Amino acid sequence: MTGYGTSLTTQNLKVYKALIDGKSCGASSGETLDMICPSTGFPFATIPRCSAADVGKAVSAAKAAMDAPEWVRLSAGERGARLLKLAELIDENKDKLAQLEARDTGKPLAQGYGDIEAAIQYFRFYGGAADKVMGDTLPIAVDYLALTVREPHGVIASIIPWNYPMQIFARVAGAALAMGNTLVVKPSEDACLSIIETAHLALEAGFPAGTINILTGLGEEAGAALSYNPEIDYITFTGSPDVGTMIQSAAARNHIGCTLELGGKSPQIVFEDADLSKALPIIQECLLKNGGQTCSAGSRALIHQSRWEEAIETLRTGFRSVVAGRFQDDRDLGPLINASQLRRVKAFCETAEQDGIPLIGEGTIAPDAPTEGYYTTAKVFGPVPADHQLAQEEVFGPVLSLIPFRTEEEAIRIANGTPYGLVAGIWTKDLSRATRVAKAMRSGQVFVNTYGAGGGIELPFGGVKKSGHGREKGFAALKEFSVLKTIVMNHA
Ligand code: NAP
Ligand code: MG
């Protein structure tokens, strides 16, 4: 894989293109945007700045592909076989894709590899699942045969953020294509290159032109135009609650459905009987993964009062050992994605310090990390009042809030006491308590004595409350990306 349709500008920047109807193309305006490497703060590539005109072309291509015999006449098993082939091609190109993902997002190289591996797993899972989606027969009356079948929505618009481009693309594309939809994808202007490369691999795997279209550009231009396009049949969005509101309004105007995955402020509850030697390293690791820029990051640790001192000592030592550095140096932490996220994270920490919240422990930035890169240290604060901004809002950075509690009821109240509800972690040896608290959590997923459970390709994922609605991953996504049709036949 050499970088599909790429060339170099006079400043030595690699030129990436959008993908519309199976062809690499620039924006119709000819405009481009620079891609910044978060590790250095300097541009390394360009992408087309697509506009509404390009969105129109991509949606038309996806709509035409929906009716083309080379797509419609494929059986579910044949679609699955192409997804399996795509998984194989990604595997063959793993090194280059992992490097590209890490350079583009700033994540340490090992995490880049982890993300490519997860993408392979998604395409394998949905490749195998494509021909295992079944309807029902319904016993309504004598002389009738009634049945349900699952059909594709049609053209699915997918708006993807910068934190996990490859993984989120794979989880959407795997399920959507398995069910026979076609796709128009608007990845983030901050990180989208692995998605462009993978879409070309999909063509090589046998997906017909127009089934996967990639529009690069700005959210408020290409993204907004895509969400309002009257020819799309469904939208799936991952990102901030504010943009999620706009997406849902756009979907309402077209009377189409949407899946919204809008982040979280997920609690990790550590009860008095928890095994801290297991819990605390996992809590630290799952918060710091991807620099805390993970929707399901367990960014609030609720610690039982009796274990407070022990917990803060361990986390102080743990956070002090965390070093941030360039993606290729593969340290614990990479840079954040861009200057505005860096400002945002620093502002949260400054407010916390001004409000007198103790900083328990802080990591360092490697001396060789370029000064123009978007680096910040890992920080753990506590005790953080449960209603403080730091304990309520999504920081999206390497910042952990510790909150003490005394009783199970109090822990449940604090855990559920934010506008979000994505994931919750429970650490206890008491099975009855684990069951009670798991049932009481207002969240889409709950983990007991573990967290994140190895990526969880098979596990339905999504939120309640401000974390959004709808489910991706696992078999649940096959339902999300299809529509149920009921057929009734009178055979008297
Ligand atoms: P964002 O603006 O919501 O961006 C998410 C996606 O939506 C990107 O592809 C973005 O494109 C696109 N977009 C932006 N404005 C749009 C519009 N008006 N219409 C259609 N699409 C639009 O998020 P952000 O600014 O990158 O990050 C801000 C905060 O959101 C973070 O600090 C974090 O709290 C949260 N966030 C959550 C997740 C998650 O996984 N749940 C992911 C990212 C961010 P461009 O990037 O090209 O503008
Ligand atoms: Mg980038």
Side-chain angles (χ1 to χ4, degrees), residues 173-463:
L177 295 168
M179 295 311 291
N181 301 281
T182 60
L183 276 173
V184 180
V185 179
K186 210 307 278 177
S188 172
E189 93 235 26
D190 279 316
C192 56
L193 304 180
S194 61
I195 294 180
I196 299 173
E197 297 281 8
T198 305
H200 282 274
L201 293 178
L203 292 177
E204 209 176 311
F207 285 96
T211 50
I212 306 173
N213 304 276
I214 312 293
L215 289 168
T216 54
L218 302 175
E220 58 273 26
E221 293 176 359
L226 176 59
S227 65
Y228 278 102
N229 188 294
E231 305 284 358
I232 61 170
D233 300 294
Y234 194 84
I235 314 182
T236 173
F237 169 82
T238 301
S240 62
D242 288 348
V243 178
T245 305
M246 293 188 230
I247 299 295
Q248 188 149 8
S249 314
R253 281 188 13 167
N254 283 331
H255 300 282
I256 59 174
C258 64
T259 304
L260 299 181
E261 206 271 85
L262 309 177
K265 192 73 194 173
S266 298
Q268 297 260 25
I269 312 177
V270 180
F271 283 102
E272 59 267 41
D273 62 342
D275 181 346
L276 292 199
S277 69
K278 282 201 183 123
L280 296 177
I282 293 179
I283 289 173
Q284 176 173 329
E285 186 195 324
C286 291
L287 180 270
L288 295 180
K289 187 159 186 233
N290 213 35
Q293 305 166 114
T294 304
C295 47
S296 53
S299 50
R300 291 183 298 153
L302 280 51
I303 312 281
H304 189 268
Q305 192 65 53
S306 65
R307 310 296 295 277
W308 180 258
E309 292 303 326
E310 197 182 340
I312 65 169
E313 279 320 310
T314 307
L315 289 168
R316 188 197 313 279
T317 310
F319 271 67
R320 278 183 179 164
S321 73
V322 174
V323 184
R326 302 182 308 169
F327 78 88
Q328 59 271 52
D329 298 334
D330 216 2
R331 297 188 185 267
D332 316 294
L333 209 60
L336 298 182
I337 187 71
N338 59 30
S340 96
Q341 285 298 121
L342 181 62
R343 275 194 301 276
R344 184 186 141 90
V345 171
K346 285 189 166 169
F348 269 104
C349 296
E350 279 160 21
T351 305
E353 291 188 37
Q354 279 157 18
D355 291 345
I357 297 176
L359 175 63
I360 291 171
E362 181 175 5
T364 53
I365 296 174
D368 59 355
T371 46
E372 294 85 355
Y374 309 125
Y375 298 95
T376 188
T377 50
K379 290 192 177 84
V380 52
F381 285 95
V384 181
D387 59 354
H388 190 272
Q389 181 203 42
L390 196 62
Q392 287 288 319
E393 295 178 25
E394 188 171 48
V395 176
F396 236 54
V399 182
L400 179 63
S401 295
L402 301 187
I403 306 172
F405 71 90
R406 288 192 161 76
T407 64
E408 184 180 310
E409 293 67 34
E410 190 188 4
I412 292 171
R413 186 163 39 75
I414 296 171
N416 287 338
T418 76
Y420 292 102
L422 193 57
V423 182
I426 300 168
W427 299 87
T428 177
K429 291 181 187 132
D430 179 338
L431 183 60
S432 301
R433 166 174 278 161
T435 313
R436 268 194 315 273
V437 179
K439 286 169 85 173
M441 289 297 98
R442 292 269 290 129
S443 63
Q445 287 188 335
V446 180
F447 292 94
V448 177
N449 294 328
T450 179
Y451 195 83
I457 274 123
E458 310 81 357
L459 308 176
F461 180 74

Side-chain angles (χ1 to χ4, degrees), residues 35-38 44 103-105 189-192 337:
M35 298 299 289
I36 311 288
C37 171
F44 70 103
R103 183 181 299 279
D104 203 5
T105 60
E189 93 235 26
D190 279 316
C192 56
I337 187 71

Side-chain angles (χ1 to χ4, degrees), residues 149-162:
V149 290
R150 287 220 154 254
E151 297 190 337
H153 288 291
V155 177
I156 294 189
S158 166
I159 298 178
I160 296 178
W162 40 261

